[in-house]
């Protein structure tokens, strides 16, 4: 589904409404909701709105757990940190138990160690929750199923820290991977969830703005085979629902 908006504010309001609605329904069913946050600049207004009292009071913070789709290999206080963005815009303003916030570790010896640590953390967390089996080459492989994954998209069609031409686009086993510095902006090393995990989500919500990203979406919708060769975003085919919120 594609929903179009005249500006990023309207799209961000819709994003917050989706998050609140989904979290409420999910917690009613399972007393738990797992949400993966996007990084970059587009979701900033969404997060600020989520932290606004009128919205925050509707979120089941006690039962909601927040994770990240990717993180830059920077200190968690660095202005370009995806965790820092979420903390500044809403996490520091709401009554969420600290144990419900699951940042990607960036203080270890190197990104590979960070990726391995996060994967272990996810495995421990999902051990008691909804592991979803996924057949990979005939072998059932356990993959977590997040209730909601928020994604942005770069102007090259990247998602999380999965960039065009990356070998990680073919990753089938690891849930979390390290990305060497160079790609993306800022061009720092990164840690990212992989496609098997992203595509196991029950709901994926894209939030994009601008004509270039709209062109990429049009290619994804109209010429999916071509798009898959060019844009990682075209590889997002979730087990669950996929909604694009598109601002002009
Ligand atoms: C990151 C993000 C990344 C982002 C896109 C779009 O860490 O950079 O997770 O995937 O969503 O780069 O970024 P903008 O929203 O800033 O255009």
């Amino acid at each position: 589904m594609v929903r179009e908006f005249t500006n990023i504010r309207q799209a961000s309001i819709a994003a917050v409404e989706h998050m609140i609605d989904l979290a409420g329904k999910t917690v009613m069913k399972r007393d738990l909701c797992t949400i993966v946050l996007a990084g970059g600049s587009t979701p900033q207004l969404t997060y600020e709105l989520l932290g606004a009292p009128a919205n925050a009071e509707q979120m089941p913070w006690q039962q909601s757990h927040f994770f990240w789709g990717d993180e830059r290999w920077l200190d968690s206080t660095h202005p370009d940190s995806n965790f820092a963005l979420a903390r500044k815009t809403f996490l520091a303003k709401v009554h969420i138990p600290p144990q419900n916030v699951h940042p990607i570790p960036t203080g270890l010896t190197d990104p590979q160690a960070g990726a391995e640590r996060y994967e272990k953390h996810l495995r421990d967390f999902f051990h008691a929750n909804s592991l979803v089996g996924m057949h990979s080459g005939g072998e059932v492989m356990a993959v977590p199923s997040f209730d909601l994954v928020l994604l942005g998209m770069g102007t090259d069609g990247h998602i999380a820290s999965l960039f065009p031409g990356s070998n990680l686009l073919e990753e089938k086993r690891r849930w979390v991977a390290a990305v060497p510095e160079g790609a993306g902006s800022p061009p720092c090393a990164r840690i990212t969830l992989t496609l098997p995990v992203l595509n196991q989500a029950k709901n994926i919500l894209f939030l994009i703005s601008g004509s270039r990203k709209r062109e990429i979406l049009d290619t994804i919708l109209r010429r999916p085979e071509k798009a898959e060769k060019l844009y990682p975003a075209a590889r997002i085919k979730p087990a669950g629902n996929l909604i694009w919120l598109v601002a002009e």
Side-chain angles (χ1 to χ4, degrees):
M1 177 204 294
V2 177
R3 296 184 62 193
E4 311 207 40
F5 301 88
T6 50
N7 57 56
I8 188 61
R9 181 167 189 80
Q10 296 307 317
S12 303
I13 291 169
V16 172
E17 288 170 351
H18 273 283
M19 291 177 75
I20 291 171
D21 179 58
L22 184 77
K25 287 174 179 168
T26 304
V27 165
M28 287 284 282
K29 274 191 293 189
R30 295 197 304 124
D31 201 32
L32 171 75
C33 182
T34 55
I35 298 172
V36 174
L37 296 175
S41 58
T42 304
Q44 177 163 344
L45 181 52
T46 297
Y47 298 159
E48 288 167 352
L49 290 169
L50 188 60
N55 294 319
E57 68 190 20
Q58 299 178 63
M59 272 295 285
W61 299 108
Q62 296 301 315
Q63 298 88 350
S64 298
H65 287 255
F66 288 86
F67 304 79
W68 275 259
D70 72 324
E71 186 56 277
R72 293 89 180 267
W73 188 249
L74 300 166
D75 186 89
S76 62
T77 60
H78 191 287
D80 285 338
S81 156
N82 290 334
F83 170 73
L85 173 70
R87 178 173 50 196
K88 176 185 71 174
T89 49
F90 76 98
L91 287 173
K93 301 175 183 175
V94 299
H95 301 293
I96 185 168
Q99 65 270 24
N100 288 25
V101 180
H102 307 265
I104 295 175
T106 59
L108 303 180
T109 51
D110 57 53
Q112 182 56 35
E116 290 167 7
R117 173 75 62 83
Y118 204 53
E119 176 152 340
K120 182 176 183 324
H121 178 77
L122 293 181
R123 287 181 183 278
D124 292 345
F125 179 86
F126 279 93
H127 172 73
N129 290 286
S130 54
L131 270 183
V132 175
M134 186 177 92
H135 290 272
S136 168
E139 185 187 342
V140 177
M141 190 179 79
V143 180
S145 177
F146 287 100
D147 294 304
L148 174 61
V149 172
L150 294 177
L151 286 177
M153 182 175 69
T155 52
D156 59 357
H158 81 258
I159 43 132
S161 287
L162 297 171
F163 293 92
S166 168
N167 294 336
L168 287 177
L169 292 170
E170 310 309 328
E171 177 62 46
K172 296 286 187 284
R173 301 200 60 76
R174 288 178 294 170
W175 296 4
V176 188
V179 180
E181 83 178 45
S185 169
C188 55
R190 294 151 172 265
I191 293 173
T192 187
L193 296 188
T194 58
L195 284 172
V197 175
L198 297 173
N199 276 326
Q200 207 59 29
K202 295 180 179 65
N203 298 275
I204 291 187
L205 190 62
F206 269 102
L207 178 62
I208 64 172
S209 67
S211 57
R212 170 61 185 140
K213 295 181 185 182
R214 175 74 239 207
E215 283 168 20
I216 293 175
L217 173 57
D218 286 342
T219 305
I220 291 173
L221 297 172
R222 293 178 185 154
R223 305 187 62 187
E225 301 78 22
K226 172 185 176 185
E228 274 195 47
K229 296 184 176 71
L230 296 170
Y231 310 123
R235 308 282 189 103
I236 290 294
K237 301 174 183 173
N241 305 312
L242 173 57
I243 297 176
W244 289 83
L245 303 180
V246 185
E248 282 179 12

